[in-house]
Amino acid sequence: QGKTETLWSFLDVCRSAMGSRLLKKWIEKPLVRQDAIEARLDRVTWLSDHFMERNAVRAGLSEIYDLQRLIARIAMNNAGPVDIVRLSKTLNQVPVVFSRLKSSEFAQYTSLDPLTELSGILNDAFADDPPAQITDGGVFRDGYNSELDEARSIQRNGRQFIVEMEAAERERTGLKNLKIGYNRVFGYYIEISKAQAQLVQDDWGYVRKQTLVNNERFISPALKEKEDAILHAEENAIRVEKRLFAEIIDRIKTDLPQMQKLALALAETDCYCALAEISSKNRYTRPEFTD
């Protein structure tokens, strides 16, 4: 069964799943109007005659994903980060494919909006190899969103923040033995020797939390804010990524009608290229019609 030769399997040298599906439909429902047949053959002829352009177009089509399926997933809110990166890579190929179709026969394709603006947004937003789930984090590029960058920076360099804050507090207060420590009961705290604790000023914002034999421990609003940021950095980063992803999905949805036009144009181009490829390979002759 697997090796059964059909007209479709013979003609199907399409480079995309969309092209293969459309070619099957063309075979199942042949054209019956001569003008439509001639228009289709005009495109196949041009691609047969222009080997370099055909090769370039087919190379571009090899790089696209199933745009029709991606559109459906986005419309149904089932799309994940990997789907959107595939959409981005597909949109990047649209100008590559259509720029080589330098003939009036393909004017309806080359005049389509290639969604360059959306393509630019997606290229700038997503990491090259994102995780399958948004909850895994690491979906967006560094530099895309300042709030996300800050959360990631805290996440990656939490300890460095504390070291820098400790140095800054020593400089601000003049207490050279001041330390910032951490335990599970209080979280982060500022530790000052008993002798120097008498020097603590109200305007520093320190709140006494614990008295030990040799030291006093304090907390401050600034330290608690930093602690919250460090302890919840990963959670915050994922929350921001979820919000950014939802915003991008909403942005993509505004272009879905145009994307459907592009998907059909890419599929049709793939079919024309496949027919031209087979025709050139086997030296087929264009049929002539009479009344």
Side-chain angles (χ1 to χ4, degrees):
Q1 290 290 333
K3 293 182 179 179
T4 302
E5 188 82 346
T6 65
L7 179 58
W8 177 51
S9 68
F10 175 70
L11 294 176
D12 184 21
V13 291
C14 291
R15 291 295 177 89
S16 71
M18 295 187 295
S20 293
R21 285 199 302 272
L22 183 61
L23 184 61
K24 191 173 188 178
K25 288 181 181 177
W26 282 7
I27 293 169
E28 289 172 343
K29 294 184 177 180
L31 296 176
V32 293
R33 286 189 6 252
Q34 184 177 336
D35 58 341
I37 295 170
E38 296 282 15
R40 181 179 286 179
L41 292 176
D42 285 342
R43 294 180 182 128
V44 174
T45 299
W46 189 87
L47 287 163
S48 297
D49 292 342
H50 293 80
F51 171 79
M52 298 295 288
E53 283 80 1
R54 184 173 82 243
N55 269 10
V57 170
R58 281 169 63 79
L61 290 167
S62 296
E63 299 297 319
I64 71 172
Y65 290 87
D66 196 332
L67 186 53
Q68 291 166 336
R69 296 279 165 88
L70 291 174
I71 290 169
R73 290 181 67 80
I74 292 163
M76 298 295 290
N77 293 316
N78 290 329
V82 173
D83 293 316
I84 306 307
V85 169
R86 287 176 174 175
L87 170 62
S88 176
K89 290 178 178 177
T90 299
L91 290 179
N92 288 340
Q93 293 301 319
V94 170
V96 176
V97 169
F98 292 154
S99 67
R100 303 307 294 257
L101 300 175
K102 300 172 183 175
S103 170
S104 59
E105 283 87 357
F106 298 99
Q108 69 187 79
Y109 302 154
T110 53
S111 63
L112 287 173
D113 176 6
L115 299 180
T116 307
E117 181 186 339
L118 176 61
S119 181
I121 291 171
L122 299 183
N123 288 336
D124 291 341
F126 288 88
D128 293 330
D129 189 21
Q133 303 296 326
I134 191 78
T135 50
D136 292 337
V139 171
F140 293 92
R141 292 183 187 277
D142 288 340
Y144 174 66
N145 178 270
S146 58
E147 186 181 357
L148 178 59
D149 286 347
E150 184 180 354
R152 284 179 174 170
S153 181
I154 296 168
Q155 186 180 341
R156 294 166 183 165
N157 308 304
R159 183 57 196 157
Q160 187 61 29
F161 272 106
I162 296 301
V163 170
E164 290 171 1
M165 186 175 185
E166 184 179 82
E169 287 300 294
R170 285 178 180 175
E171 184 72 25
R172 182 170 78 96
T173 63
L175 304 179
K176 300 305 179 187
N177 293 325
L178 179 151
K179 295 178 181 177
I180 295 180
Y182 175 83
N183 67 33
R184 292 193 175 188
V185 179
F186 300 123
Y188 285 98
Y189 56 81
I190 297 165
E191 188 169 271
I192 302 171
S193 68
K194 271 278 175 59
Q196 291 192 323
Q198 312 306 316
L199 303 174
V200 172
Q201 299 175 18
D202 290 344
D203 61 358
W204 292 356
Y206 288 4
V207 178
R208 186 177 272 100
K209 192 71 180 173
Q210 187 181 29
T211 300
L212 302 177
V213 176
N214 298 316
N215 303 301
E216 295 279 357
R217 288 178 175 175
F218 300 81
I219 59 173
S220 74
L223 183 59
K224 284 292 143 186
E225 183 181 341
K226 193 63 71 176
E227 173 189 304
D228 183 66
I230 293 169
L231 297 181
H232 298 97
E234 183 174 357
E235 178 185 320
N236 288 342
I238 290 173
R239 175 181 54 78
V240 173
E241 292 209 56
K242 283 182 177 178
R243 189 191 79 226
L244 294 173
F245 190 73
E247 289 172 359
I248 278 195
I249 291 294
D250 287 342
R251 172 64 183 81
I252 293 170
K253 284 181 177 178
T254 64
D255 281 327
L256 286 185
Q258 180 61 22
M259 219 175 283
Q260 287 172 320
K261 293 178 183 176
L262 290 176
L264 180 58
L266 289 168
E268 289 180 351
T269 300
D270 201 5
C271 289
Y272 293 130
C273 283
L275 295 176
E277 191 76 16
I278 290 289
S279 298
S280 299
K281 179 182 176 182
N282 296 312
R283 303 183 179 224
Y284 291 156
T285 303
R286 176 172 176 163
E288 293 179 10
F289 295 89
T290 66
D291 294 329

